[in-house]
């Protein structure tokens, strides 16, 4: 009960399961397991969505998260943890639909593509509006090794983060093929 009060759903579930191993006929433990199992699953799903807001760029994940939010809002007597999770998910859903300006820089020789979004062609500098999320940029140039950049466009940073660290809209993402084959 203390774990339920403090919204430690997984711990409460594990304790109910231990009690049921000792005596499977205890009704309080059966009911407690059923209740905490549902809440533990909801808590895990919300925690996962909060930890990976970049996944909201996928229409399917966005819709699933909206449905999950409705389930969370319909929980009777939500505690402070659930209320906080609801607020975070609502904020992430709002931010997920606001495009962010991304500045790309190239060498006017490399063909640049944002996979599943657009073929941008050759350019020296280009700005593009993208919804927050993960993207793959590919550069191709005849006689040169292709380049691939995995970036995450983030509303908090106002730009993109990549393997080389956090980049903002003021720091262009450079896509150019420089290694000869």
């Amino acid at each position: 009960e203390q774990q339920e009060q403090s919204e430690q759903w997984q711990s409460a579930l594990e304790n109910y399961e231990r009690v049921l191993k000792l005596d499977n006929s205890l009704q309080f433990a059966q009911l407690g397991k059923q209740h905490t199992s549902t809440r533990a699953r909801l808590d895990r799903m919300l925690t996962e969505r909060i930890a990976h807001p970049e996944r909201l760029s996928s229409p399917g994940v966005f819709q699933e998260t909206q449905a999950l939010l409705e389930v969370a809002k319909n929980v009777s007597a939500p505690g402070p943890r659930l209320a906080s999770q609801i607020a975070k998910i609502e904020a992430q859903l709002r931010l997920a639909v606001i495009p962010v300006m991304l500045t790309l820089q190239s060498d006017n020789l490399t063909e640049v593509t944002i996979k599943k979004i657009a073929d941008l062609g050759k350019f020296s500098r280009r700005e593009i509006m993208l919804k927050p999320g993960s993207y793959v940029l590919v550069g191709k140039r005849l006689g040169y090794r292709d380049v691939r950049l995995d970036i995450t466009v983030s509303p908090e940073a106002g730009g993109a983060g990549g393997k080389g660290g956090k980049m903002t809209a003021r720091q262009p993402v450079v896509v150019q093929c420089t290694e000869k084959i």
Side-chain angles (χ1 to χ4, degrees):
E1 288 176 356
Q2 289 175 343
Q3 289 170 332
E4 286 184 44
Q5 292 289 326
S6 62
E7 297 180 87
Q8 296 174 2
W9 300 109
Q10 189 60 43
S11 296
L13 175 61
E14 290 166 4
N15 283 326
Y16 281 125
E17 288 172 343
R18 280 191 209 111
V19 169
L20 288 170
K21 282 183 182 177
L22 298 173
D23 186 350
N24 198 25
S25 66
L26 295 173
Q27 191 161 355
F28 87 91
Q30 292 172 353
L31 293 172
K33 179 183 175 185
Q34 183 180 357
H35 173 69
T36 57
S37 174
T38 302
R39 288 297 301 272
R41 182 172 178 265
L42 177 63
D43 184 69
R44 279 191 309 274
M45 293 172 75
L46 290 169
T47 300
E48 175 66 23
R49 296 298 164 99
I50 290 167
H52 299 285
E54 71 279 359
R55 294 189 63 228
L56 293 172
S57 64
S58 162
V61 173
F62 187 89
Q63 290 173 348
E64 289 171 8
T65 304
Q66 286 179 312
L68 181 62
L69 177 62
E70 288 307 309
V71 169
K73 285 180 169 183
N74 288 321
V75 169
S76 60
R81 177 175 170 81
L82 180 58
S84 172
Q85 289 173 318
I86 289 170
K88 287 175 185 174
I89 293 284
E90 286 175 331
Q92 288 178 345
L93 287 170
R94 279 192 304 274
L95 289 174
V97 297
I98 300 171
V100 175
M101 178 70 70
L102 179 67
T103 303
L104 300 173
Q105 189 174 316
S106 191
D107 54 10
N108 238 0
L109 301 169
T110 301
E111 294 280 340
V112 179
T113 300
I114 302 175
K115 289 285 191 180
K116 298 182 183 178
I117 303 295
D119 290 328
L120 303 176
K122 299 174 186 175
F123 57 87
S124 58
R125 186 175 180 91
R126 182 145 183 198
E127 293 180 337
I128 187 167
M129 299 295 285
L130 295 172
K131 288 183 182 178
S134 297
Y135 296 91
V136 177
L137 284 72
V138 176
K140 293 185 178 199
R141 180 177 170 193
L142 193 61
Y144 288 78
R145 187 174 309 280
D146 293 353
V147 295
R148 174 190 164 111
L149 296 173
D150 297 309
I151 66 166
T152 300
V153 175
S154 165
E156 295 87 18
K163 287 185 179 177
K166 204 82 164 174
M167 293 175 272
T168 68
R170 291 186 194 106
Q171 296 173 313
V173 176
V174 178
V175 185
Q176 53 189 4
C177 299
T178 57
E179 187 180 335
K180 284 188 177 187
I181 297 178

